[in-house]
Amino acid sequence: MATISFRNWTFSVNNNSRITSFPHRSPLSNKLFIGNALSLSKRLLKLRSPTLTPIKCSVSQATDTPTPDISEKSQLMRRSDVRNIAIVAHVDHGKTTLVDSMLKQAKVFRDNQFVQERIMDSNDLERERGITILSKNTSITYKDTKVNIIDTPGHSDFGGEVERILNMVEGVLLVVDSVEGPMPQTRFVLKKALEFGHAVVVVVNKIDRPSARPDYVVNSTFELFIELNASDEQCDFQAIYASGIKGKAGLSPDNLAEDLGPLFESIIRCIPGPCIDRDGALQMLVTNIEYDEHKGRIAIGRLHAGFLRRGLDVRVCTSEDSCRYARITELFVYEKFNRVPADRVEAGDICAVCGIDDVQIGETIADKISGRPLPAIKVEEPTVKMAFSINTSPFVGREGKYVTSRNLRDRLYRELERNLAMKVEDGETADTFVVSGRGTLHITILIENMRREGYEFMVGPPKVINKKVDDRLLEPYEIATVEVPEEHMGSVVELLGKRRGQMFDMQGVGSEGTTFLKYKIPTRGLLGLRNAILTVSRGTAILNTIFDSYGPWAGDITTRDQGSLVAFEDGTTSSYALSSSQERGQMFIGPGVDVYKGQIVGIHQRPGDLSLNVCKRKAATNIRSNKEQTVVLDTPLAYSLDDCIEYIQEDELVEVTPLHIRMCKNPKFSKRK
């Protein structure tokens, strides 16, 4: 019998390499541990074995820097003056704020320069929503080492961005909240990073929160590494404790330095330099694309072999047989927060290339004579689809600049050039297109961008993409995590039960009386769930989801119990008509609003739709009344684009214009009836 201590844990292991006891955990976690016991015990025994080569980056704080590593087989060498890292995490765990502090402490900005918060979130939509949607590149210099940093999205719907960005880097900073611990997107990005074989530095962020529990977070993260079959070297990760907003970091939660020095040192020590073929034929995989009005299309990627210089003739390859020739007109590298012109770029660095007007993500820029393509970028398949069609309402053309099916088609297919996780197909009619994505948010961001560009169109309700395997119907399932106060837990559990969700974990979080629930639930059950769960929890619940796998069809799911209030005729709404209409349910509109027949104007308080005349005027008579009737109207519900898409059902549409978002009944369904 042997006793092993590892990361504040004590394991008892018998002679058969089986764990016989381990820390006290919840029944579900014990079950998970028993399932992985053999693998875990073998790894722990291996980690403490004296014959094992010591791991340079570990909790033992080895200080050796990576040395050039030359392989006899492929003649590859490792650059020691460059580090390429991606910062990955679940949404709202503080990636972008941490990057802000890293940029400030690396003296990227002047001391007297005004810098707004979340400087990497440069998109208007990102600032409004407070989330990262597109990955961004920047770089800093620390002790003569250039560190290329890529900030990535945290929402699972934008997982395609993260997947292709991991092709450009050798290591990742896995940022984990000091209270929440590993969340669904943490699992997804870590799984992808481990599949690429990347080195991982775990950053326990927001360590200054009152209810922080760093030991639990590090242990949970270690469990996740074991569960995802990480290698022994990857399991012995370096943990850094940080407060991104204060710009402090340290090797222990109780002893933080006054700056992010320990984090920078860990990046240099733990993340290896790029493995390159300096003298080989040119190879660069295009991982991202930007567009500039003056320079045209800009291809971004990491140089794997050879070198690039301005004016060089290259071959652009999709596959072995499909190649074309082009010339590099301009070349840029990332220095601090800017793109800086360069005459020459060596292998291992991240650069931006101009001059190839038709370049696509996943193509290889190779040597003109002997260049070969690199493996193409692969991303996971979409799980949700929505139908886009031209606007057929009576208000068509009032606000939009692009209203025809040709405009709509061109814009949707142009989106595919940059958004690899999205698919577009022609629909049943010439003016309908089916757009498939990772989730409703993924497609909603596209809709919002098109709306701001001046497009007018209609979208149908989101539908899941099912599969048939061996004559069995399979549907996508997701892992849903809900953080909810204890007093509202019963209502949330009942709601998720109706949506065919199966709970597999429940635990208390911190000292705030919050319960953490984990469910496996069909994607169909998540459609329209966000608003419903906020309603039953009085706005206190936090819902996060991520795709898990395909499973058997779960049966029918009812997502909405109430019907809609529908406008009876075209016209302008009046206070007189709305005063009687609001007795039938909650209204979406106020007085003086133009409506048309078939437009949804409110939520019916009972099942089934109800047609209302919201434009009715008070009859004028020649009888003098002593006093006009005072009309008191309820405040109408203000639904955002996301809310409208969650609300609509099979026979309803969302009309999207640059200034308004309306909902209406689908005229095709009324004709069928």
Side-chain angles (χ1 to χ4, degrees):
M1 181 76 72
T3 303
I4 300 175
S5 295
F6 188 78
R7 295 193 181 279
N8 302 324
W9 296 359
T10 301
F11 296 87
S12 298
V13 185
N14 62 18
N15 295 330
N16 295 324
S17 297
R18 289 197 175 271
I19 294 177
T20 57
S21 63
F22 34 78
H24 174 70
R25 306 193 56 77
S26 66
L28 186 87
S29 298
N30 282 337
K31 183 178 178 183
L32 181 149
F33 257 66
I34 291 168
N36 290 301
L38 182 61
S39 168
L40 182 60
S41 58
K42 284 182 178 178
R43 289 188 180 186
L44 292 173
L45 286 169
K46 191 175 179 183
L47 283 172
R48 76 192 291 251
S49 171
T51 60
L52 188 68
T53 305
I55 299 169
K56 288 187 172 59
C57 176
S58 68
V59 289
S60 58
Q61 302 178 32
T63 56
D64 296 348
T65 55
T67 55
D69 171 32
I70 302 178
S71 168
E72 296 178 1
K73 186 175 181 181
S74 57
Q75 294 299 316
L76 297 180
M77 65 179 300
R78 206 173 277 286
R79 283 186 69 173
S80 59
D81 60 336
V82 174
R83 299 290 186 276
N84 299 318
I85 63 168
I87 299 188
V88 297
H90 188 79
V91 63
D92 286 338
H93 279 199
K95 297 181 302 299
T96 307
T97 306
L98 183 64
V99 174
D100 280 1
S101 295
M102 293 173 72
L103 291 172
K104 288 174 184 174
Q105 295 189 20
K107 300 298 181 184
V108 171
F109 309 108
R110 298 189 314 272
D111 292 337
N112 63 344
Q113 184 175 347
F114 171 74
V115 181
Q116 57 190 358
E117 287 186 359
R118 303 196 321 275
I119 185 68
M120 296 294 282
D121 286 346
S122 53
N123 190 321
D124 290 340
L125 207 52
E126 291 178 323
R127 293 204 159 276
E128 288 174 21
R129 291 175 176 254
I131 61 174
T132 303
I133 297 170
L134 303 172
S135 55
K136 315 285 192 321
N137 294 59
T138 188
S139 78
I140 60 173
T141 302
Y142 182 77
K143 292 185 177 179
D144 300 325
T145 301
K146 180 182 180 182
V147 182
N148 288 308
I149 302 171
I150 306 176
D151 186 22
T152 63
H155 273 279
S156 58
D157 289 38
F158 310 114
E161 285 275 317
V162 181
E163 284 180 76
R164 56 188 173 82
I165 288 307
L166 290 176
N167 283 277
M168 297 169 66
V169 299
E170 284 75 38
V172 298
L173 293 188
L174 182 70
V175 181
V176 186
D177 189 282
S178 64
V179 176
E180 295 179 352
M183 296 288 279
Q185 181 69 358
T186 312
R187 180 190 179 92
F188 172 79
V189 294
L190 179 60
K191 178 185 175 186
K192 293 298 176 186
L194 295 177
E195 286 176 0
F196 277 94
H198 291 334
V200 181
V201 174
V202 176
V203 180
V204 182
N205 198 22
K206 305 184 183 181
I207 197 67
D208 51 340
R209 288 182 64 175
S211 53
R213 41 181 189 166
D215 290 341
Y216 163 80
V217 170
V218 171
N219 291 344
S220 299
T221 307
F222 175 66
E223 280 181 40
L224 190 57
F225 272 76
I226 294 295
E227 195 178 332
L228 296 175
N229 295 318
S231 67
D232 300 331
E233 291 80 7
Q234 289 170 327
C235 285
D236 197 18
F237 54 81
Q238 172 70 65
I240 300 291
Y241 304 90
S243 171
I245 198 163
K246 290 183 178 179
K248 296 182 178 182
L251 296 175
S252 71
D254 304 322
N255 186 22
L256 298 185
E258 290 302 312
D259 56 16
L260 293 175
L263 176 60
F264 290 132
E265 291 289 346
S266 298
I267 291 172
I268 303 300
R269 187 179 76 248
C270 301
I271 307 295
C275 197
I276 60 167
D277 185 1
R278 191 188 295 272
D279 300 322
L282 167 65
Q283 280 185 316
M284 171 183 159
L285 185 67
V286 179
T287 314
N288 208 348
I289 284 179
E290 291 181 4
Y291 186 81
D292 186 275
E293 290 183 0
H294 304 289
K295 299 180 178 64
R297 187 172 291 194
I298 302 172
I300 300 169
R302 180 167 72 89
L303 209 56
H304 288 261
F307 66 90
L308 263 177
R309 70 169 186 268
R310 190 183 303 175
L312 184 69
D313 291 324
V314 296
R315 180 194 293 179
V316 183
C317 301
T318 305
S319 62
E320 291 283 356
D321 303 324
S322 176
C323 294
R324 60 192 186 279
Y325 296 96
R327 172 171 289 185
I328 306 299
T329 57
E330 289 192 71
L331 194 59
F332 299 91
V333 293
Y334 290 90
E335 285 188 8
K336 297 185 176 179
F337 198 62
N338 301 310
R339 226 172 17 218
V340 180
D343 294 322
R344 180 185 172 102
V345 177
E346 298 286 343
D349 208 349
I350 293 174
C351 63
V353 172
C354 300
I356 310 172
D357 295 332
D358 56 348
V359 68
Q360 302 286 346
I361 291 176
E363 292 186 330
T364 302
I365 298 175
D367 184 74
K368 184 179 179 181
I369 300 171
S370 58
R372 289 187 176 183
L374 291 163
I377 299 173
K378 294 181 180 179
V379 296
E380 292 188 1
E381 293 293 313
T383 56
V384 175
K385 61 183 179 181
M386 292 173 66
F388 285 53
S389 61
I390 59 170
N391 191 358
T392 54
S393 81
F395 296 164
V396 61
R398 287 191 180 184
E399 303 163 7
K401 185 178 177 183
Y402 308 106
V403 296
T404 65
S405 60
R406 181 176 58 83
N407 297 141
L408 185 61
R409 178 190 175 89
D410 291 347
R411 176 63 181 84
L412 290 175
Y413 279 96
R414 196 162 66 245
E415 182 69 19
L416 298 183
E417 295 175 0
R418 193 187 186 284
N419 206 329
L420 287 190
M422 191 169 279
K423 289 186 176 180
V424 177
E425 301 168 338
D426 292 338
E428 297 176 356
T429 60
D431 54 8
T432 304
F433 307 94
V434 178
V435 178
S436 305
R438 284 286 185 85
T440 51
L441 180 64
H442 189 199
I443 304 176
T444 301
I445 294 297
L446 169 63
I447 295 171
E448 183 64 38
N449 282 326
M450 291 174 63
R451 185 173 84 88
R452 297 182 182 205
E453 292 167 15
Y455 286 84
E456 263 190 36
F457 53 97
M458 286 183 162
V459 294
K463 300 176 182 177
V464 299
I465 300 174
N466 299 320
K467 285 184 178 179
K468 262 203 168 183
V469 179
D470 299 329
D471 294 330
R472 292 177 60 214
L473 184 62
L474 304 180
E475 65 174 330
Y477 280 75
E478 303 199 19
I479 299 297
T481 60
V482 186
E483 203 175 321
V484 62
E486 288 181 2
E487 59 265 28
H488 301 301
M489 190 177 70
S491 305
V492 171
V493 169
E494 181 184 0
L495 178 64
L496 289 166
K498 289 180 180 177
R499 301 294 187 106
R500 305 278 182 175
Q502 295 180 339
M503 185 194 298
F504 64 88
D505 192 12
M506 178 175 70
Q507 53 184 299
V509 179
S511 58
E512 300 164 358
T514 304
T515 304
F516 191 72
L517 307 173
K518 279 190 178 181
Y519 275 82
K520 184 172 182 179
I521 185 171
T523 304
R524 283 183 303 133
L526 293 172
L527 303 178
L529 179 62
R530 199 170 298 273
N531 274 339
I533 213 166
L534 286 174
T535 302
V536 299
S537 66
R538 306 292 173 89
T540 57
I542 301 172
L543 172 68
N544 290 292
T545 62
I546 191 165
F547 174 74
D548 180 54
S549 60
Y550 274 83
W553 179 262
D556 294 332
I557 298 174
T558 56
T559 56
R560 199 177 86 196
D561 298 328
Q562 297 166 307
S564 299
L565 299 177
V566 184
F568 183 72
E569 61 181 1
D570 300 355
T572 305
T573 57
S574 65
S575 301
Y576 176 74
L578 290 175
S579 63
S580 58
S581 299
Q582 67 185 14
E583 297 173 3
R584 305 286 189 173
Q586 294 176 289
M587 306 302 294
F588 290 138
I589 55 173
V593 178
D594 291 336
V595 297
Y596 55 84
K597 183 179 180 180
Q599 181 179 333
I600 297 172
V601 295
I603 305 174
H604 193 198
Q605 60 191 3
R606 293 185 178 137
D609 297 335
L610 180 66
S611 295
L612 294 174
N613 188 349
V614 291
C615 305
K616 183 170 56 176
R617 304 280 172 186
K618 186 177 180 182
T621 67
N622 59 354
I623 299 174
R624 181 181 296 173
S625 59
N626 292 330
K627 184 172 181 262
E628 285 290 332
Q629 182 182 359
T630 303
V631 176
V632 179
L633 296 178
D634 298 333
T635 303
L637 293 172
Y639 265 23
S640 65
L641 175 62
D642 303 69
D643 297 332
C644 291
I645 287 174
E646 278 199 0
Y647 175 81
I648 59 173
Q649 291 194 319
E650 183 69 22
D651 62 338
E652 296 166 346
L653 298 169
V654 177
E655 179 192 353
V656 181
T657 69
L659 300 179
H660 293 94
I661 297 169
R662 308 180 185 93
M663 291 178 285
C664 64
K665 304 302 288 186
N666 192 339
K668 294 179 181 177
F669 279 82
S670 58
K671 288 176 184 176
R672 291 178 191 174
K673 294 177 182 178

